[in-house]
Amino acid sequence: MKKIFSIAAASLMSFSVLAGCSMLSNSSEDTKTKTIATKEELTPFGKYKETVTYTVGKATPGIAKLPKGQTYEDDAYTRYLKETLNIQSENKFEAQDGDAYNQKVSMAVASGDLPDIMSVDATTLRQLVDNDMIADLSDVYKSSASDYIKDMYNSYDGRALDAATFDGKLMALPSTANANIPTMLWLRKDWMDKLGLDAPKTVEDMEKVLEAFVQKDPGGNGKGNTVGLALSPSIGGLYGSLFVADNILSTYNSFPRQWIEQDGKVVYGSITEETKQGLGKLAEWYKDGLIDPQFAVRKSIEDLIIGGQTGAYFGPWWTPDYPLNSAKQKNAKADWEPYIISKDGSGTITAYTQNPASEFYVVKKGFQHPEVLPKVLSALDDKLRREDRNYQPVVDFIKEGGDRGAPINIMVNFNDATAQMYQNINSAVEGKKDPATLSLDDQSSYEKITGYLKDPAKADANQWSAYKSRMVAGKLMAETKINEVNPVFFGQTKSMKLKWANLTKLEDEAFLKIVTGEKDLNYFNKFVDTWKKTGGSDITKEVTETIKEK
């Protein structure tokens, strides 16, 4: 899902600009990167007197999505930056996002011929830092990032910028990944009404709903043809994903596939006793027919949902857009509702968080205007998003289907952006906020939601989807209390490169065998022993050491 832009006003923060108009040195003498910008030019929206040209490594979509007559060096976004800051980008290389782009980055790093600004992954960032190839951005972040940008980064409690900080120096600006929890139990509300079922609050409540759906066949699929819980063969550990059972596992304090701290030690969440207990519950449900009997081999869970063969699965707030929109189009009477399942029914859940920063934007060491990076970020993710949100060339670019027009694709948002989205739209719906002040995305959602509210019975699938996702699920995102478990490591160690694929396969197979009953629950102990002996213990030591070094 694309990130949802929030236009909520941030609290004002003061920032200091170092005195002097000629040189601002970075905090490390070793870095030797200095800016030649004046004091005014160093401010977030200060316009350069003379045009500053900078080179970028440009990641593009698979198929160029640009309005006619525009290029990635000359489009609505580059023109906006030229008008606002008097800067102009040139693409040192251009490649499709993914393997092609990563290959270009690898070649640039190997040759030492870097663009002034480019995005890299965490492993490459570490390599660039270790080889002293990129600038320390500590000072220019303070002087040239706007208060709003700083507020957004601060909403991650330091975790986003910490991922880009080495020995106290900020070596990159990360794109952020805002919270996508809690995931919710999505149920066929029309089936529940037909059977007179109450809203579930606990795992036990959910179990009763699944039993009723399977045994009483409210969808009229025929005896034995209604599936209980639709489940992915991945089972759990995929943050904010569709069809996984993290909500159930977390009630046991199980966090598979996550590196967590437990009793003062770093452990891999898939091998804990808590995960064994959680798998035991799922195995019990599978044996009782409450989980899709074909989940291990099913090719399309979406077909089950759209076809009306199941009425239960776990998914994030945006799932009314996909796949429920298609289900609603096929059957207008199919009504889905999200519910929070907690251990004690209080509505407070425990959930692990995701990596807040997995893409990093770096500046080549020696580039005379390292402040360009935080200034571009401030212009695009602050000024354009709020003050200049109606800048017509960009509005037209979006309407014409343009994609990734900005010279760099850095995206920063508040960690609670989805909750803010709900609050903003809800305020507009209640007449407390002018809809014209909403972001373009939120304005579109607002129009659909008001259309739904005029007559829910006659609303189309798109209006229904907007209402269920942005208002109903959005409200749960805003109001659900979460005890967050922050994983302590997201990267890759030396041994992982050689052994992780086999360990992941071992884990996947073990989990499936246990849940489907091919192996009893005690097989988990054998899996853990094998995992440790075939590389898991070595990797755990490496992860622990890496955390200490950071």
Side-chain angles (χ1 to χ4, degrees), residues 198 384 481:
D198 294 328
L384 179 59
K481 295 181 180 179

Side-chain angles (χ1 to χ4, degrees), residues 186-188 242-243 302 305-306 310 313 316 318-331 334-338 461 464-465 468:
W186 289 86
L187 295 174
R188 280 285 295 265
L242 287 165
F243 316 134
E302 291 85 348
I305 294 167
I306 295 169
T310 186
Y313 69 91
W318 48 258
T319 190
D321 294 334
Y322 176 83
L324 295 186
N325 185 281
S326 296
K328 190 70 173 176
Q329 290 183 42
K330 184 170 182 178
N331 179 5
D335 189 24
W336 292 79
E337 191 80 8
W464 177 89
S465 295
K468 288 291 183 177

Side-chain angles (χ1 to χ4, degrees), residues 178-189:
N178 54 275
N180 211 16
I181 52 175
T183 49
M184 304 157 196
L185 174 64
W186 289 86
L187 295 174
R188 280 285 295 265
K189 181 67 164 55

Side-chain angles (χ1 to χ4, degrees), residues 130-198:
D130 289 346
N131 288 280
D132 194 25
M133 298 175 72
I134 54 176
D136 175 0
L137 303 178
S138 302
D139 286 346
V140 293
Y141 174 74
K142 294 175 184 176
S143 66
S144 306
S146 70
D147 288 347
Y148 187 72
I149 295 297
K150 292 171 182 173
D151 284 346
M152 289 193 286
Y153 276 129
N154 289 340
S155 71
Y156 295 84
D157 297 324
R159 292 185 299 126
L161 291 183
D162 282 351
T165 301
F166 298 79
D167 295 327
K169 303 171 189 174
L170 182 63
M171 302 306 293
L173 293 184
S175 281
T176 61
N178 54 275
N180 211 16
I181 52 175
T183 49
M184 304 157 196
L185 174 64
W186 289 86
L187 295 174
R188 280 285 295 265
K189 181 67 164 55
D190 52 316
W191 288 8
M192 293 177 64
D193 291 343
K194 185 176 181 179
L195 298 176
L197 299 172
D198 294 328

Side-chain angles (χ1 to χ4, degrees), residues 67 76-77 384 388-402 440 443:
Y77 289 89
L384 179 59
D388 297 336
R389 63 182 171 277
N390 294 319
Y391 180 74
Q392 199 59 47
V394 169
V395 173
D396 293 340
F397 182 94
I398 294 171
K399 287 182 177 179
E400 293 175 35
L440 292 177
Q443 284 181 32

Side-chain angles (χ1 to χ4, degrees), residues 358-407:
S358 58
E359 179 186 46
F360 302 87
Y361 285 80
V362 298
V363 174
K364 178 179 69 175
K365 182 181 178 182
F367 177 47
Q368 291 187 321
H369 287 284
E371 77 282 352
V372 163
L373 175 57
K375 285 171 73 72
V376 168
L377 173 58
S378 299
L380 296 179
D381 283 12
D382 179 358
K383 195 171 190 296
L384 179 59
R385 186 184 298 184
R386 301 195 299 162
E387 180 183 338
D388 297 336
R389 63 182 171 277
N390 294 319
Y391 180 74
Q392 199 59 47
V394 169
V395 173
D396 293 340
F397 182 94
I398 294 171
K399 287 182 177 179
E400 293 175 35
D403 186 21
R404 301 195 191 186

Side-chain angles (χ1 to χ4, degrees), residues 1 11 41 75 80 108 155 169 180 199 232 243 288 365 443 483 503 514 524:
M1 287 290 295
S11 59
E41 290 170 340
D75 64 17
Y80 174 77
S155 71
K169 303 171 189 174
N180 211 16
S232 165
F243 316 134
D288 292 341
K365 182 181 178 182
Q443 284 181 32
N483 297 320
L503 289 173
I514 291 170
F524 183 85

Side-chain angles (χ1 to χ4, degrees), residues 204-491:
E204 291 74 22
D205 295 341
M206 176 184 168
E207 187 172 329
K208 292 176 182 177
V209 172
L210 294 177
E211 287 175 349
F213 280 5
V214 171
Q215 295 171 9
K216 298 182 180 180
D217 187 27
N221 292 303
K223 186 176 181 180
N225 293 327
T226 295
V227 169
L229 181 68
L231 183 65
S232 165
S234 298
I235 298 177
L238 303 178
Y239 178 88
S241 295
L242 287 165
F243 316 134
V244 293
D246 283 335
N247 298 57
I248 301 299
L249 296 171
S250 66
T251 64
Y252 292 87
N253 289 319
S254 164
F255 311 104
R257 306 181 198 275
Q258 311 304 312
W259 290 97
I260 59 175
E261 189 173 282
Q262 191 176 73
D263 299 326
K265 296 181 179 179
V266 175
V267 299
Y268 185 55
S270 295
I271 64 170
T272 65
E273 181 64 26
E274 290 83 355
T275 294
K276 179 181 180 180
Q277 294 171 11
L279 291 175
K281 169 55 73 173
L282 294 176
E284 177 186 315
W285 279 4
Y286 183 87
K287 182 180 179 181
D288 292 341
L290 304 185
I291 291 177
D292 176 14
Q294 301 297 319
F295 90 91
V297 294
R298 190 172 296 282
K299 294 181 179 180
S300 175
I301 297 175
E302 291 85 348
D303 286 348
L304 277 179
I305 294 167
I306 295 169
Q309 293 173 268
T310 186
Y313 69 91
F314 285 108
W317 67 270
W318 48 258
T319 190
D321 294 334
Y322 176 83
L324 295 186
N325 185 281
S326 296
K328 190 70 173 176
Q329 290 183 42
K330 184 170 182 178
N331 179 5
K333 294 182 180 180
D335 189 24
W336 292 79
E337 191 80 8
Y339 300 91
I340 297 296
I341 301 299
S342 59
K343 186 173 184 177
D344 59 3
S346 66
T348 298
I349 67 167
T350 299
Y352 64 88
T353 59
Q354 68 174 329
N355 185 356
S358 58
E359 179 186 46
F360 302 87
Y361 285 80
V362 298
V363 174
K364 178 179 69 175
K365 182 181 178 182
F367 177 47
Q368 291 187 321
H369 287 284
E371 77 282 352
V372 163
L373 175 57
K375 285 171 73 72
V376 168
L377 173 58
S378 299
L380 296 179
D381 283 12
D382 179 358
K383 195 171 190 296
L384 179 59
R385 186 184 298 184
R386 301 195 299 162
E387 180 183 338
D388 297 336
R389 63 182 171 277
N390 294 319
Y391 180 74
Q392 199 59 47
V394 169
V395 173
D396 293 340
F397 182 94
I398 294 171
K399 287 182 177 179
E400 293 175 35
D403 186 21
R404 301 195 191 186
I408 58 175
N409 301 324
I410 188 168
M411 301 281 273
V412 178
N413 217 333
F414 286 97
N415 193 27
D416 65 343
T418 305
Q420 290 190 27
M421 171 198 68
Y422 158 73
Q423 292 160 351
N424 287 324
I425 296 176
N426 186 56
S427 292
V429 169
E430 293 181 345
K432 299 176 181 178
K433 186 180 185 70
D434 183 356
T437 64
L438 297 173
S439 69
L440 292 177
D441 281 335
D442 288 354
Q443 284 181 32
S444 176
S445 296
Y446 168 81
E447 291 170 1
K448 294 172 185 174
I449 289 165
T450 53
Y452 172 88
L453 291 173
K454 286 178 181 178
D455 191 347
K458 295 182 179 179
D460 63 27
N462 292 331
Q463 293 170 327
W464 177 89
S465 295
Y467 177 76
K468 288 291 183 177
S469 58
R470 275 71 178 171
M471 295 296 285
V472 181
K475 189 173 190 292
L476 292 178
M477 288 287 289
E479 297 180 356
T480 300
K481 295 181 180 179
I482 304 174
N483 297 320
E484 293 186 346
V485 175
N486 295 320
V488 295
F489 183 77
F490 295 102

